[in-house]
Coordinates of all heavy atoms in Angstrom, one line a residue:
V1 N 2.6 18.8 -1.7 CA 2.4 18.9 -3.1 C 1.3 20.0 -3.4 O 0.4 20.2 -2.6 CB 1.9 17.5 -3.7 CG1 0.6 17.1 -3.1 CG2 1.8 17.6 -5.2
P2 N 1.4 20.7 -4.5 CA 0.4 21.8 -4.8 C -0.8 21.1 -5.3 O -0.8 20.0 -5.9 CB 1.1 22.6 -5.9 CG 2.1 21.7 -6.5 CD 2.6 20.8 -5.4
A3 N -2.0 21.8 -5.2 CA -3.2 21.3 -5.7 C -3.1 21.0 -7.2 O -2.5 21.8 -8.0 CB -4.3 22.4 -5.5
G4 N -3.6 19.9 -7.6 CA -3.5 19.4 -9.0 C -2.3 18.5 -9.2 O -2.3 17.9 -10.3
G5 N -1.5 18.4 -8.3 CA -0.3 17.6 -8.4 C -0.6 16.1 -8.1 O -1.7 15.7 -7.8
S6 N 0.5 15.3 -8.1 CA 0.4 13.9 -7.9 C 1.5 13.4 -6.9 O 2.5 14.0 -6.8 CB 0.6 13.1 -9.2 OG -0.4 13.4 -10.2
L7 N 1.1 12.3 -6.2 CA 2.1 11.6 -5.4 C 1.8 10.2 -5.5 O 0.6 9.7 -5.8 CB 1.9 12.0 -3.9 CG 2.5 13.4 -3.4 CD1 2.1 13.6 -2.0 CD2 4.0 13.4 -3.5
R8 N 2.8 9.4 -5.3 CA 2.7 7.9 -5.2 C 3.1 7.4 -3.9 O 4.3 7.6 -3.5 CB 3.5 7.3 -6.3 CG 3.3 5.7 -6.4 CD 4.1 5.1 -7.5 NE 4.0 3.7 -7.6 CZ 3.0 3.0 -8.2 NH1 2.0 3.7 -8.8 NH2 3.0 1.7 -8.2
L9 N 2.2 6.8 -3.1 CA 2.5 6.3 -1.9 C 2.8 4.8 -2.0 O 2.2 4.1 -2.8 CB 1.3 6.4 -0.9 CG 0.8 7.8 -0.7 CD1 -0.4 7.8 0.3 CD2 1.9 8.8 -0.2
S10 N 3.7 4.3 -1.2 CA 4.1 2.9 -1.3 C 4.0 2.3 0.1 O 4.2 3.0 1.1 CB 5.5 2.7 -1.8 OG 5.5 3.1 -3.2
C11 N 3.7 1.1 0.2 CA 3.7 0.4 1.5 C 4.4 -0.9 1.3 O 4.1 -1.8 0.5 CB 2.2 0.1 1.9 SG 2.0 -0.8 3.4
A12 N 5.5 -1.1 2.1 CA 6.3 -2.3 2.0 C 6.0 -3.2 3.2 O 5.9 -2.8 4.3 CB 7.8 -1.9 2.0
A13 N 5.9 -4.5 2.9 CA 5.6 -5.5 3.9 C 6.9 -6.3 4.2 O 7.7 -6.6 3.3 CB 4.5 -6.4 3.4
S14 N 7.0 -6.7 5.4 CA 8.0 -7.6 5.9 C 7.3 -8.7 6.7 O 6.2 -8.5 7.2 CB 9.1 -6.9 6.6 OG 8.6 -6.3 7.8
G15 N 8.0 -9.7 7.0 CA 7.4 -10.8 7.7 C 6.8 -11.8 6.7 O 7.5 -12.3 5.8
E16 N 5.5 -12.1 6.9 CA 4.8 -13.0 6.1 C 4.7 -12.5 4.6 O 4.6 -11.3 4.4 CB 3.5 -13.4 6.6 CG 3.5 -14.2 7.9 CD 2.1 -14.6 8.4 OE1 1.1 -14.1 7.8 OE2 2.0 -15.3 9.3
S17 N 4.5 -13.4 3.7 CA 4.1 -13.0 2.4 C 2.7 -12.3 2.4 O 1.9 -12.6 3.3 CB 4.0 -14.3 1.5 OG 3.4 -14.0 0.3
L18 N 2.4 -11.5 1.4 CA 1.1 -10.9 1.3 C 0.1 -11.7 0.6 O -1.1 -11.3 0.5 CB 1.3 -9.5 0.5 CG 2.0 -8.4 1.2 CD1 2.1 -7.2 0.3 CD2 1.4 -8.1 2.5
W19 N 0.5 -12.9 0.2 CA -0.5 -13.8 -0.4 C -1.6 -14.1 0.6 O -1.4 -14.4 1.7 CB 0.2 -15.2 -0.7 CG -0.7 -16.1 -1.6 CD1 -0.7 -16.1 -2.9 CD2 -1.6 -17.0 -1.0 NE1 -1.6 -17.1 -3.3 CE2 -2.2 -17.6 -2.2 CE3 -2.0 -17.4 0.2 CZ2 -3.2 -18.6 -2.0 CZ3 -3.0 -18.4 0.4 CH2 -3.5 -19.0 -0.7
G20 N -2.8 -13.9 0.0 CA -4.0 -14.1 0.8 C -4.5 -12.9 1.6 O -5.6 -13.0 2.2
Y21 N -3.8 -11.8 1.5 CA -4.2 -10.6 2.3 C -5.0 -9.6 1.4 O -4.5 -9.3 0.3 CB -2.9 -9.9 2.8 CG -2.3 -10.4 4.0 CD1 -1.5 -11.6 4.0 CD2 -2.5 -9.8 5.3 CE1 -0.9 -12.1 5.1 CE2 -1.9 -10.3 6.4 CZ -1.1 -11.5 6.3 OH -0.5 -12.0 7.4
T22 N -6.1 -9.2 1.9 CA -6.7 -8.0 1.4 C -5.9 -6.8 2.0 O -5.6 -6.8 3.1 CB -8.2 -7.9 1.9 OG1 -9.0 -8.8 1.2 CG2 -8.7 -6.5 1.6
L23 N -5.6 -5.8 1.1 CA -4.9 -4.6 1.5 C -5.7 -3.4 1.2 O -6.5 -3.4 0.2 CB -3.5 -4.6 0.7 CG -2.6 -5.8 0.9 CD1 -1.4 -5.7 0.0 CD2 -2.1 -5.8 2.4
G24 N -5.5 -2.4 1.9 CA -6.2 -1.1 1.7 C -5.4 0.1 2.2 O -4.4 0.0 2.9
W25 N -6.0 1.2 1.8 CA -5.4 2.5 2.2 C -6.6 3.3 2.9 O -7.7 3.3 2.4 CB -4.9 3.3 1.0 CG -3.7 2.8 0.4 CD1 -3.5 2.0 -0.6 CD2 -2.3 3.2 0.9 NE1 -2.2 1.7 -0.8 CE2 -1.4 2.5 0.0 CE3 -1.8 4.1 1.8 CZ2 0.0 2.6 0.2 CZ3 -0.5 4.2 2.0 CH2 0.4 3.4 1.2
F26 N -6.2 4.0 3.9 CA -7.1 4.8 4.7 C -6.4 6.1 5.0 O -5.2 6.2 4.9 CB -7.5 4.0 6.1 CG -8.1 2.7 5.9 CD1 -7.3 1.6 5.6 CD2 -9.4 2.5 6.0 CE1 -7.8 0.3 5.4 CE2 -10.0 1.2 5.7 CZ -9.2 0.2 5.5

């Protein structure tokens, strides 16, 4: 992407539900 642009990252989970999970991006 060029400087000044935008992107949307997604993270899909499988297995257990995400209930109770702290989630983060690094």
Side-chain angles (χ1 to χ4, degrees):
V1 63
S6 298
L7 282 175
R8 183 176 178 86
L9 306 182
S10 295
C11 177
S14 61
E16 293 184 352
S17 168
L18 292 178
W19 188 92
Y21 281 78
T22 288
L23 300 173
W25 288 92
F26 303 80

